[in-house]
Amino acid sequence: MSSNPSLEYIDPVDVAMIRDILRTAGFRGVEAEAGSDAKHMASVFLHSEFRNGNRTKEALLRALEGRRKEFKNVLGTGGLPKDQTVDPWQDEGAR
């Protein structure tokens, strides 16, 4: 079994913070206006930002707000462009 050094364990407290940021920005929860693809993109983006060292709630929220327009554009198109979808094998580290 090989390990991927680029994947970093995220503490449950940090995961809760990321969920809270997504909820605050309208990308999580039953009241969220964002579609499932936009929610997914926002979640992947925040996890990536966190792994890249952006670790405070304020900084992550600011980064997400900076990408809001890109994520909202997914709402009008009915889905992600093919080149932005997540390959399930890649997502699970199988490639």
Side-chain angles (χ1 to χ4, degrees):
M1 180 188 322
S2 66
S3 63
N4 187 345
S6 66
L7 293 179
E8 179 182 326
Y9 174 76
I10 298 180
D11 186 284
V13 172
D14 296 325
V15 171
M17 177 183 67
I18 290 171
R19 281 195 309 248
D20 186 48
I21 293 166
L22 289 167
R23 189 174 290 109
T24 299
F27 289 101
R28 186 171 173 88
V30 294
E31 296 88 22
E33 294 180 16
S36 61
D37 286 338
K39 290 176 183 179
H40 177 75
M41 282 179 66
S43 178
V44 169
F45 173 73
L46 281 184
H47 280 86
S48 175
E49 285 290 304
F50 185 87
R51 286 190 173 104
N52 288 329
N54 204 351
R55 302 283 170 105
T56 68
K57 184 174 182 176
E58 295 77 19
L60 288 168
L61 188 55
R62 207 171 25 253
L64 183 59
E65 289 298 327
R67 300 285 293 266
R68 177 175 285 286
K69 184 177 179 181
E70 176 184 334
F71 300 142
K72 289 252 183 190
N73 286 340
V74 171
L75 293 173
T77 63
L80 290 171
K82 181 98 172 137
D83 64 338
Q84 291 183 4
T85 59
V86 175
D87 182 345
W89 286 99
Q90 181 181 11
D91 191 41
E92 295 174 8
R95 288 190 189 168

